Amino acid sequence: MCDLIHYRVEGGLALIGLNRAPVNALDRSLRVALIDACERAAADITVGAVVLYGAQGLFSAGADIKEFGTEACFAEPNLPGALTRLSAIHKPLVAAIGTLALGGGLELALACGYRIGAPGARLGLSEINLGLLPGAGGTQRLPRLIGAESALNLILSGEQIDAERARMLGILDRIAASAEQLLDEARAYANELIDSCAPARPVEAWPKPAEDLPDDFLARYRVEHEPRWKSRLAPRLVLCALEAACLLPMKEGLVRELTLFKQAEASRQSRALRHVFLAEREAQRTPSIVPADALRKIDKVAVIGAGTLGGGIAMSFADVGIPVALMDLDGRTLDRGLRRVRENYQLSVKRRKLTAIQMQQRMELLFGTLDYADLFDADLIIEAVCEKMETKQQVFLALEKVCKPGAILATNTSSLDIAALAATISRSQDVIGLHFFSPANVMRLVEIVRCQATAPDVVASVVDIARRIGKLPVISGNGAGSIGNRMLEPYAREAHRLVLEGATPVQVDAVLTSLDLNMGVFSMLDLAGIDVSFLMRDANREAIAHDQSYCCLSEELYALGRYGQKTGRGFYLYEGRNRTVDGEIGTLAEQLARELNVPRRSIEDLEIHDRCLFMMINEGIQLLDEGIAQRASDIDLVWINGYGFPAHLGGPMHYAEQLGLDTVLSRIHHYRHALGEYGEMWFRPAALLERLVAAGKTRIEKF
Ligand code: 3H9
């Protein structure tokens, strides 16, 4: 037997261990080895039952994602076929699930007649996160086992459930006393089955799940949930597969499932989501700058600035048990900040996401202070004060005096030059950018901005702590706006200019949300605060002084005190979170256009799409060329996780590749000519984009 499978027969049982590191992904080689082993056990008359387990504890993370889009994915024996062969074996098969059974891994367990799990096991059908549906029997076997509604919820959420919930649902028959005892208890279970002459019990033999469901169940489910799916294909295909499970015999249902799976697998959306999956893993691969044992110890954290962002950052640390001081020079702001944190936790308790005890534990880790001197023993200090260079410099000067040697001094700036800030003090090697997104306790993205002077162990330690608090760290070089906000600039600039030229904020936002972006530019600016973007622009005045029309509509709103949602008026009118159109914006835009001699006309949706997105994409390519971004896929992660770009479009760089780099370049050229002086001024293709297109490249990469 090959290394991929551990095979032994002991006391009438065949023990088959899957052994393909790191996650037992079921690629063709493992499928061949698995089927051989199971059919060998089936043919062995000394074997009464089979136990399948993960040789390293983890059962299986499913089909091999790297096989998708290649012939190997459906090469014989393909996963659905292999599992059908397994379920035809006439001896009891027991799946012993260690840490994890996901996707095809859980489908493998479902093809076995009996399942036992370790107490810490997590189970799920996570295909939906890759734009897929379970394609190896999951949509047919699971509803027969646990009912159509529960199966649908599990498949559509892609949620990983724990062993106890899996047992209650009927997925697991038993839970072992401990992970260490899993294999022994699986053996005992298999022996009981032999002793009681238990049948193989494949789900195939079970009735269709539809009997106790109302006739219109699936139709109603669709009506209720479809708006949330936006333009995603996979949830709709899941529903079709469930319909097949309810209506067709197992054999026909499996055929239908495979057809639907192939459709999903070949779709652009799934390709994009697979790209995102691999991009996230790639982003973890920071050049190994320092060995793990040389990381700076981070056991205590301090956050300066008790505003919404500072409070959210503090919560992120308290959430994972790290003590954190929240400091503000203003007593009332500090009280308000601490109160807001408590209210956030109370809400979680109310929603049953947290117990009252957990809330208490987290609050006890938070310590409010008005005094810099209290930060003397913090290992990492993050400033989150207002976006003004002088204010941040003062904070850093104060920190230099009190912080212990080796403490990391991080700034949450989203637009300022961090090297200039670091130069204010004598320990610039300890300074780094740590850009959280609001609400910081919820948003996954953290941009880590390293400067030339930043010590390598500071970068590595900050990446490590970001992972420890469950964030997705993406490294950026130092430059105004890092990756995300630098790309936001041309995106917002074009949106503003289009309104001057004759579009409306509603039209611009509608074009963007029709692509499934979470919100349009103007709703986003209203949410983030027009005063905040004003301050960011203000720090960068010189660079934009040559264009009088540059975001002048926002400047006007700022002057009128219309800061967005928080003042009830920005680009839209607000009552609470309810947004309505404000006719005054059109009048303001007309007036400004007249003053600036900007001709007004009706604007096509395509122009809005191209100008906003292609200018943003162009900036991303420029960032790659400048070395601010390490990889195109990092840029995609920033925009998906920080700016609501739809993951099923794969992020702006992937989207550009799908549209064709030559198309993007030619549209930029088109507007450069069509928009006269304005086009000449702003529509300059990134040199890297031109080089890539000239060389016939279809992927965005350093070149
Ligand atoms: C499916 O099953 C379809 C079927 O229904 C039908 C088929 C016909 N394949 O995330 P990590 C690699 S669709 C290949 O860093 P963690 C991963 O790339 C599949 N490789 O660790 C990484 O490699 P590297 C449904 C995989 O502990 C390494 O393993 N299954 C796969 O944070 C470690 O991963 C899923 O959607 C895979 N399936 O998280 C599960 N999974 O070191 C997707 C992982 O070279 N996987 N790798 O970068 C996950 O959710 C997480 O990776 C997991 C581990 C929870 C397993």
Side-chain angles (χ1 to χ4, degrees), residues 20-26 31 58 60-68 73-74 78-80 100 102-107 122 124-130 132-138 160 257-258 261 265 277-278 280-282 284-285:
R20 181 169 181 252
V23 295
N24 286 332
L26 292 153
R31 299 194 299 264
L58 185 148
S60 167
D64 190 329
I65 293 170
K66 295 184 188 99
E67 274 191 352
F68 293 134
C73 177
F74 298 109
N78 60 34
L79 193 57
L100 196 73
L102 288 184
L106 180 55
E107 290 174 298
R122 288 176 295 140
L125 289 171
S126 45
E127 287 87 344
I128 199 86
N129 302 326
L130 299 168
L132 298 169
L133 59 147
Q160 293 177 20
E257 178 194 69
L258 186 56
F261 178 84
E265 192 258 349
F277 176 85
L278 296 174
E280 286 194 10
R281 271 77 206 159
E282 191 63 34
Q284 310 293 316
R285 270 189 271 278

Side-chain angles (χ1 to χ4, degrees), residues 79-96:
L79 193 57
L83 299 192
T84 301
R85 275 162 72 179
L86 237 66
S87 65
I89 290 175
H90 289 294
K91 294 176 183 174
L93 262 60
V94 178

Side-chain angles (χ1 to χ4, degrees), residues 147-163:
E149 190 167 5
S150 300
L152 203 47
N153 291 336
L154 204 61
I155 294 170
L156 283 174
S157 67
E159 187 193 358
Q160 293 177 20
I161 57 171
D162 61 26

Side-chain angles (χ1 to χ4, degrees), residues 296-317:
R296 294 194 191 182
K297 176 179 75 77
I298 301 181
D299 294 334
K300 265 190 173 177
V301 174
V303 179
I304 303 180
T308 314
L309 192 66
I313 298 174
M315 284 175 78
S316 305
F317 289 95

